[in-house]
């Protein structure tokens, strides 16, 4: 059984930083995709960033490019999202997600929610101005 557990959310002031962690258990797709999504109440879920396990190829939403970095500790089965220069528009519930297939390690992943099967419960990020 695959479980994704997020941590690291919290409240920060604009300009601050947070690092989110997603610990995966039971996830054996060594070249699968893992990603971060976010959702504000009443709004659609937005793909933030994704990473190909083992290969390290990353994809970012335009809204976070240059500010957020997704990375992986393969040995720990953990994916991180380093978020810098946060602004109030980044306030949301952040979810970790994983897909259910292996691809070539050089292949990029998507940030479409429909491509991901496993989801965590989310961690809240609140940025105040």
């Amino acid at each position: 059984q695959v479980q994704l557990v997020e941590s690291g959310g919290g409240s920060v002031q604009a300009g601050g930083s947070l690092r989110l962690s997603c610990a995966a258990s039971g996830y054996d797709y060594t070249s699968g995709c893992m990603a971060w999504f976010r959702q504000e109440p009443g709004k659609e879920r937005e793909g933030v960033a994704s990473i190909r396990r083992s290969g390290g190829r990353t994809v970012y939403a335009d809204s976070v490019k240059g500010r957020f970095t997704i990375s992986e500790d393969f040995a720990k089965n953990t994916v991180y999202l380093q978020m810098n220069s946060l602004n109030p528009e980044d306030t949301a519930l952040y979810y970790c997600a994983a897909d259910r297939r292996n691809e070539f390690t050089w292949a990029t992943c998507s940030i479409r929610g429909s491509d991901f099967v496993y989801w965590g419960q989310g961690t809240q990020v609140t940025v105040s101005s």
Side-chain angles (χ1 to χ4, degrees), residues 17-86:
S17 299
L18 283 173
R19 188 176 83 153
L20 305 183
S21 299
C22 172
S25 59
Y27 185 67
D28 297 327
Y29 294 90
T30 57
S31 61
C33 290
M34 296 188 71
W36 288 96
F37 292 80
R38 65 186 182 185
Q39 188 169 22
E40 296 177 70
K43 293 189 177 181
E44 288 191 3
R45 182 177 57 199
E46 176 190 17
V48 175
S50 64
I51 187 166
R52 169 72 63 188
R53 300 193 73 203
S54 301
R57 293 290 297 269
T58 58
V59 173
Y60 294 94
D62 288 344
S63 58
V64 306
K65 279 181 183 175
R67 300 189 299 123
F68 290 12
T69 303
I70 188 171
S71 61
E72 173 194 37
D73 186 329
F74 189 85
K76 294 183 178 179
N77 234 14
T78 300
V79 172
Y80 303 97
L81 185 68
Q82 178 66 45
M83 306 185 295
N84 298 328
S85 301
L86 285 161

